[in-house]
Amino acid sequence: MSARILVVDDIEANVRLLEARLAAEYYEVLTANDGPSALAIAAAELPDIILLDVMMPGMDGFEVCRRLKSDEITRHIPVVLVTALDGRSDRIAGLEAGADEFLTKPIDDVMLFARVRSLTRLKVIIDELRQREASGRRMGVIAGAASRLGGSGGRILIVDDNERQAARVSAELAVEHRPVVETEADKALATARGPVDLIIVNATARDFDGLRFCAAIRSDEVTRHLPILAIIDPDERSRLVKALDIGVNDILTKPIDPQELAARTRTQIKRKRYSDFLRDSLDHSLELAVTDQLTGLHNRRYMEGQLGALVNRAVMGGDPVAALMIDIDHFKKINDGYGHDVGDEVLREFAVRLASNVRAIDLPCRYGGEEFTVIMPDTRLADAQRIAERIRLHVAGSPFRVAGEGDQLTVTISIGVAATRGNGDSPESLLKRADEAVYEAKAAGRNRVIAKAA
């Protein structure tokens, strides 16, 4: 999988060396020689990964990383800090600044490309979710709240048969998270299907294959998006690379440093919550795309999609389909006499009565304004007419109570009924017949059902 990578280093020779190595692996490379240029290019070009040198004059890599992660435009871009420094304090500082990894010069090509592949896969998923979220924002159905997502208070599953190590990790994390320890892989797989924000796995466990456990997590539709932090011996280089290739999000090498554990944990939980936010926003936008916000019924767009498939099956010899077209009588007088707030209450109450008087297989929808429709699979005209009469009686039989008003409103409806009639029929002709029947019902005095056979 290729990617666009921004290389940032104040030493031109280092930039050219990394650029050549990445280009040889068919990556597209952008370059910058200082912090301000890197920030500008990152915001304008939105690369897939940023390889960022730490020791730069003026604005160092730590500060550049902090600014990238605090900007809503660039916070989702993975950052790998690259430096000649190998001290614990520098590594922790980089991780706490929001970096996804910390590589030491001279860079190990195998580790570099394993990291790049891993982070590219993650970035592709995040990008797709962000694009769909952006569509939701343009539709006005998603509100931004991602900037308030934190990395503390996470539900963490520790999978480790080394009880002493698991206890130490759990004790360190319990300061700001809610860790749970499982020593058996089978039980851990079941636990992972519950509310979990991060899985920490001992990849060198004796009683189970830690990498096979990680692969099982990635292959399960319920758990495949959970971040995994693998504990690995730094000398087991091949296992480390394999872990990244099968989808482990991050690596923690032994001996475990408490601050590094805390920093990597916060990063993974924060990213998981960001991904969850995007997925939840997407689900919400999809729901709103097919749902009428006022009444909670499906909207006209959704109805038309479902009706098309049902009518096509009926025309090909399948079960008949009926349609009810419903209009609330004198609705304009309600709006004019009581106000639009009361009119909205009437629409909501009518939607409840409508939904409670149709069958589970029927599809009640708001067609527009005070017009509603019910699509009725496997229903003949006479049966649809009986159901329509039941709806009419239920609406007219008891007044609508309006909050804040002393009056109880008597509401009636006119209903037109039509059903498919074989070859040559279409969704449009079915709805047109039902609509014509509504006009006949209104012309005949309203508060009645009229079925149109042809």
Side-chain angles (χ1 to χ4, degrees):
M1 182 181 293
S2 190
R4 300 171 71 238
I5 301 176
L6 173 59
V7 175
V8 186
D9 197 313
D10 63 310
I11 299 175
E12 186 68 21
N14 292 343
V15 172
R16 296 304 165 209
L17 178 61
L18 257 181
E19 183 179 17
R21 290 157 75 179
L22 292 166
E25 295 294 324
Y26 304 103
Y27 292 103
E28 181 183 345
V29 182
L30 308 170
T31 63
N33 297 111
D34 56 52
S37 298
L39 293 172
I41 293 172
E45 299 293 337
L46 298 178
D48 297 305
I49 298 172
I50 300 174
L51 300 181
L52 176 61
D53 186 47
V54 171
M55 302 299 290
M56 295 187 296
M59 186 186 299
D60 65 17
F62 297 140
E63 179 61 23
V64 175
C65 186
R66 276 190 289 269
R67 295 194 185 192
L68 287 168
K69 294 299 181 180
S70 64
D71 188 332
E72 187 172 342
I73 296 174
T74 57
R75 66 158 56 98
H76 66 289
I77 302 174
V79 176
V80 178
L81 289 177
V82 182
T83 182
L85 300 174
D86 195 21
R88 169 183 175 275
S89 61
D90 296 308
R91 188 170 67 252
I92 301 300
L95 294 170
E96 290 183 342
D100 297 87
E101 186 51 282
F102 197 99
L103 297 179
T104 304
K105 296 178 183 178
I107 298 174
D108 181 326
D109 278 4
V110 174
M111 284 304 304
L112 170 64
F113 292 125
R115 263 297 176 194
V116 167
R117 287 194 300 272
S118 173
L119 292 172
T120 299
R121 285 195 299 269
L122 173 69
K123 175 69 163 38
V124 167
I125 295 171
I126 295 293
D127 280 350
E128 182 176 350
L129 292 171
R130 282 173 57 86
Q131 287 170 7
R132 295 183 182 183
E133 183 211 20
S135 298
R137 287 185 189 278
R138 287 193 295 271
M139 292 166 59
V141 297
I142 295 179
S147 60
R148 298 195 295 272
L149 301 176
S152 61
R155 297 158 296 187
I156 302 174
L157 172 60
I158 301 167
V159 188
D160 195 345
D161 62 350
N162 183 333
E163 294 184 6
R164 291 184 59 188
Q165 177 175 272
R168 288 198 302 272
V169 171
S170 179
E172 293 288 346
L173 295 175
V175 175
E176 58 175 323
H177 303 284
R178 291 167 286 165
V180 173
V181 175
E182 286 287 0
T183 58
E184 299 177 27
D186 289 344
K187 291 183 179 178
L189 285 171
T191 303
R193 295 174 67 86
V196 174
D197 294 312
L198 172 65
I199 301 176
I200 299 178
V201 183
N202 181 4
T204 57
R206 293 182 178 181
D207 294 341
F208 61 87
D209 187 333
L211 295 187
R212 190 172 298 280
F213 173 86
C214 295
I217 291 293
R218 284 289 171 262
S219 64
D220 188 328
E221 185 176 355
V222 176
T223 61
R224 66 178 42 156
H225 297 300
L226 287 178
I228 303 173
L229 175 59
I231 301 173
I232 297 181
D233 191 311
D235 296 331
E236 295 192 69
R237 189 163 170 268
S238 61
R239 185 182 291 267
L240 194 154
V241 172
K242 177 62 73 175
L244 292 171
D245 283 344
I246 66 175
V248 166
N249 299 75
D250 202 0
I251 301 294
L252 185 65
T253 56
K254 300 178 182 179
I256 298 172
D257 182 285
Q259 279 189 270
E260 184 174 349
L261 169 66
R264 291 186 185 275
T265 296
R266 280 194 295 270
T267 296
Q268 293 303 320
I269 290 176
K270 191 169 185 178
R271 179 183 289 147
K272 195 258 185 184
R273 288 173 175 168
Y274 179 57
S275 298
D276 287 348
F277 164 77
L278 293 177
R279 287 190 181 91
D280 290 344
S281 297
L282 173 60
D283 289 344
H284 182 58
S285 66
L286 290 174
E287 179 184 351
L288 292 180
V290 299
T291 304
D292 175 62
Q293 290 181 259
L294 178 64
T295 64
L297 299 178
H298 285 301
N299 61 19
R300 180 172 177 172
R301 177 192 300 174
Y302 181 80
M303 179 276 294
E304 289 175 343
Q306 298 298 308
L307 180 61
L310 290 170
V311 170
N312 286 339
R313 282 201 294 270
V315 169
M316 297 298 291
D319 295 326
V321 181
L324 310 184
M325 193 67 75
I326 306 168
D327 190 273
I328 299 178
D329 296 330
H330 302 298
F331 185 73
K332 186 176 185 299
K333 291 184 178 179
I334 296 174
N335 275 335
D336 292 345
Y338 295 91
H340 288 277
D341 288 344
V342 171
D344 287 348
E345 284 194 53
V346 169
L347 292 174
R348 282 192 289 265
E349 172 63 19
F350 172 73
V352 171
R353 297 192 188 194
L354 177 63
S356 63
N357 278 277
V358 296
R359 304 164 303 175
I361 64 170
D362 297 333
L363 182 65
C365 307
R366 186 180 181 195
Y367 196 71
E370 68 271 24
E371 290 184 296
F372 293 77
T373 185
V374 181
I375 305 305
M376 312 179 78
D378 191 15
T379 307
R380 300 187 183 279
L381 186 66
D383 297 324
Q385 188 173 1
R386 281 194 295 270
I387 295 172
E389 183 63 22
R390 183 176 69 201
I391 296 169
R392 185 193 67 79
L393 289 172
H394 185 77
V395 171
S398 57
F400 283 49
R401 292 181 174 83
V402 180
E405 297 286 340
D407 295 335
Q408 292 184 340
L409 304 181
T410 297
V411 176
T412 63
I413 55 176
S414 299
I415 305 179
V417 185
T420 51
R421 55 190 181 188
N423 291 335
D425 217 345
S426 67
E428 293 76 18
S429 62
L430 176 65
L431 292 177
K432 182 179 180 181
R433 291 198 302 276
D435 196 44
E436 289 172 350
V438 169
Y439 280 101
E440 289 183 23
K442 296 175 86 67
R446 294 184 170 85
N447 189 23
R448 64 193 61 216
V449 175
I450 288 185
K452 200 167 183 67

